[in-house]
Amino acid sequence: EKHSEFYLEQYAVEDVLKYFNEVVLKTEYSTGTGDSTLVQRWDVPICYELVGDYTDEDVAVLEELFTNLNQIDGFPGANPAKEDEAPNLSFYFEDREAFNDRFLDFIQNVYADGATRYWYYTDTNDIYEGIIGYWKDMPTEVRKSVLLEEVVNCLGLGDSTLREDSIVYQYSSDATSLSDMDWLILKLLYNPRIRCGMGTAECEEIIRELY
């Protein structure tokens, strides 16, 4: 039997739908009055900047992630902002006080190592701007995991309680890379057939056909 490019033999389509509904259709990092139970994603190219006390390793982790994201069909692209470009995604590597000043009213977690916040058009659900913050002194053993998790959150995926191997697992996680299911969900979310503002029924029909 011939399967599609999305197919993962260890997962039935029901598994995929359950996870998609959990992380895509109930996001928690958006800022706006629109409906966050509908698809939210970037449909404009991401121009990003890094600000503050980051390391060469941080840069390498993010560059590798964006290189892989840029290969996804439908993903609008993510590249460092050029000198004449205004960034629409900023990464801040800051001390605890500055981190809390920037994010505490939003996340209400004084001990967080990272945080994400994004803005979207309430009529279309397109994400158009985001900020990601990292505590610059976060422990080495969690650094890569936190770096990746916050970017994935900012792309339109909320946290998961279903999958311990997920980079966006809500509780303590040892993941230092995106799982196969994480990549699958991103490929489905950014597939050209899925559009901002779609709800559960429309997404389910398309995912069943794609998978």
Side-chain angles (χ1 to χ4, degrees):
E1 184 183 353
K2 188 175 185 299
H3 294 294
S4 79
E5 61 182 295
F6 298 96
Y7 182 73
L8 298 173
E9 64 177 343
Q10 66 268 43
Y11 300 118
V13 69
E14 303 301 333
D15 299 322
V16 178
L17 289 167
K18 185 176 181 180
Y19 190 56
F20 187 93
N21 289 342
E22 185 197 28
V23 296
V24 173
L25 299 179
K26 62 170 197 139
T27 54
E28 55 198 299
Y29 302 102
S30 57
T31 300
T33 57
D35 189 346
S36 62
T37 65
L38 304 177
V39 169
Q40 297 174 340
R41 71 175 189 195
W42 294 78
D43 277 350
V44 295
I46 296 171
C47 302
Y48 67 88
E49 64 171 350
L50 274 60
V51 181
D53 197 2
Y54 53 89
T55 68
D56 290 344
E57 289 82 1
D58 296 335
V59 175
V61 168
L62 294 173
E63 284 182 346
E64 180 183 12
L65 175 62
F66 284 126
T67 296
N68 290 324
L69 286 166
N70 286 339
Q71 296 173 29
I72 291 178
D73 182 26
F75 187 73
N79 293 285
K82 300 186 176 74
E83 284 188 22
D84 59 343
E85 285 182 311
N88 55 13
L89 177 59
S90 297
F91 293 85
Y92 295 96
F93 294 79
E94 301 176 309
D95 62 27
R96 179 63 72 192
E97 183 178 7
F99 176 87
N100 286 345
D101 283 347
R102 195 180 300 279
F103 288 98
L104 194 56
D105 66 320
F106 187 64
I107 62 169
Q108 286 139 12
N109 183 353
V110 69
Y111 300 112
D113 292 324
T116 291
R117 188 173 190 175
Y118 62 74
W119 290 262
Y120 63 96
Y121 297 112
T122 54
D123 57 338
T124 62
N125 265 30
D126 292 41
I127 301 172
Y128 63 87
E129 184 180 356
I131 57 173
I132 297 176
Y134 299 107
W135 178 40
K136 68 183 182 67
D137 296 319
M138 63 180 151
T140 303
E141 61 268 20
V142 303
R143 196 173 189 97
K144 186 175 182 182
S145 179
V146 176
L147 285 171
L148 296 174
E149 177 186 3
E150 301 306 332
V151 178
V152 172
N153 285 154
C154 198
L155 294 177
L157 273 65
D159 287 341
S160 170
T161 59
L162 291 175
R163 309 199 61 83
E164 292 184 30
D165 63 339
S166 172
I167 199 68
V168 293
Y169 186 58
Q170 189 164 342
Y171 308 110
S172 58
S173 171
D174 298 326
T176 56
S177 62
L178 278 68
S179 69
D180 288 345
M181 181 69 93
D182 291 335
W183 280 115
L184 173 59
I185 296 302
L186 284 167
K187 290 175 183 176
L188 291 170
L189 172 59
Y190 282 91
N191 185 270
R193 291 187 61 191
I194 300 284
R195 295 189 302 279
C196 284
M198 281 187 170
T200 307
E202 290 174 292
C203 291
E204 177 176 343
E205 182 179 355
I206 293 168
I207 289 170
R208 287 187 184 279
E209 291 176 9
L210 288 173
Y211 199 67

